[in-house]
Amino acid sequence: MSLPVLQGGFTKSLAITVLSEVGDRTFCVAAILAMRYPRRSVLFGCLSSVIVTTILSALVGKAAPNLISREWAHYITTFLFFGFGLWSLWEAFNEDDDDNDELKHVEKELANDNFKKRNWPFLTHFFSPVFLKAFSVTFFGEWGDKSQLATIGLAADGDALAVILGGITGQTLCTIAAVIGGKSLASRISERLVTLMGGVLFLFFGLLSFFSPVVAE
């Protein structure tokens, strides 16, 4: 595969999203909800949420060069890649591979969720309660994670549309796998291996970004 292809926003966004989301919080949310409620409603709710968050994140990144120079946006994105890479490697070497903490945490949180006690008088006229739950839990779970911050950085340093398409494609693949595979699939995923692979990928793209020229404004 040629270097320009690897440097493409779509490829970077797709690869980073898949390795960041597999086995992560939102993956576990979709897997658990799909076992409790109709899969179609869960799938549409989770997909709608990740599509919205991906687009919003890319728009934030797209607006960044209006606040700072393209050169600084490039340097910040490179720094994020290296930072996330080292962070992921540290997590991989310090977590217990035999204990899926993320899945257990999400299960506990959903078990104590008071969603049924909430009133959605307006939204329930248009969407099912299951759709709203899948959307809201996924939406708030996405904010601040590595894939979202990486999406912002990629959009700031390159083609925002390509980043959006790559991110949505990756999120769709992960969500479909989670809904179909359910808790059984989520519990079999090696968090350490996925995190390690994600760390290596972040560092690899960080090196590509470091040695690539800054796109002219």
Side-chain angles (χ1 to χ4, degrees), residues 4-27:
V5 173
L6 283 174
Q7 291 179 326
F10 178 88
T11 304
K12 286 183 179 179
S13 183
L14 173 61
I16 287 174
T17 298
V18 170
L19 286 178
S20 296
E21 294 299 325
V22 170
D24 201 3
R25 172 185 167 79
T26 50
F27 186 94

Side-chain angles (χ1 to χ4, degrees), residues 128-204:
S128 70
V130 174
F131 175 93
L132 292 174
K133 179 169 186 174
F135 183 96
S136 61
V137 175
T138 303
F139 184 84
F140 292 111
E142 277 293 299
W143 287 98
D145 71 358
K146 285 181 285 189
S147 63
Q148 186 198 33
L149 296 176
T151 298
I152 294 174
L154 286 172
D157 192 37
D159 186 349
L161 179 58
V163 172
I164 290 174
L165 294 177
I168 290 177
T169 301
Q171 293 280 13
T172 300
L173 292 174
C174 292
T175 303
I176 291 176
V179 170
I180 294 176
K183 180 181 174 182
S184 176
L185 174 61
S187 63
R188 294 179 182 178
I189 292 175
S190 171
E191 285 189 35
R192 174 177 293 176
L193 178 59
V194 173
T195 304
L196 180 62
M197 292 174 62
V200 172
L201 185 67
F202 272 119
L203 291 177
F204 175 67

Side-chain angles (χ1 to χ4, degrees), residues 37-185:
Y37 305 104
R39 289 185 175 182
R40 180 177 298 181
S41 296
V42 173
L43 178 62
F44 288 157
C46 292
L47 278 181
S48 299
S49 181
V50 295
I51 288 173
V52 170
T53 54
T54 299
I55 293 175
L56 290 177
S57 300
L59 290 178
V60 171
K62 185 66 176 178
N66 295 323
L67 303 175
I68 58 177
S69 68
R70 177 73 68 178
E71 183 178 10
W72 272 105
H74 177 80
Y75 292 149
I76 291 173
T77 301
T78 303
F79 175 80
L80 284 175
F81 281 143
F82 282 120
F84 288 152
L86 295 175
W87 178 15
S88 297
L89 291 180
W90 184 87
E91 288 183 330
F93 288 114
N94 286 277
E95 66 182 10
D96 185 359
D97 196 37
D98 297 326
D99 189 14
N100 197 324
D101 293 331
E102 191 67 58
L103 181 61
K104 293 180 180 179
H105 176 74
V106 171
E107 276 190 299
K108 183 178 180 180
E109 184 176 307
L110 291 177
N112 297 326
D113 184 56
N114 61 351
F115 181 85
K116 292 182 179 179
K117 299 179 183 178
R118 303 173 192 169
N119 294 317
W120 303 83
F122 177 72
L123 294 177
T124 50
H125 287 295
F126 304 96
F127 307 101
S128 70
V130 174
F131 175 93
L132 292 174
K133 179 169 186 174
F135 183 96
S136 61
V137 175
T138 303
F139 184 84
F140 292 111
E142 277 293 299
W143 287 98
D145 71 358
K146 285 181 285 189
S147 63
Q148 186 198 33
L149 296 176
T151 298
I152 294 174
L154 286 172
D157 192 37
D159 186 349
L161 179 58
V163 172
I164 290 174
L165 294 177
I168 290 177
T169 301
Q171 293 280 13
T172 300
L173 292 174
C174 292
T175 303
I176 291 176
V179 170
I180 294 176
K183 180 181 174 182
S184 176
L185 174 61

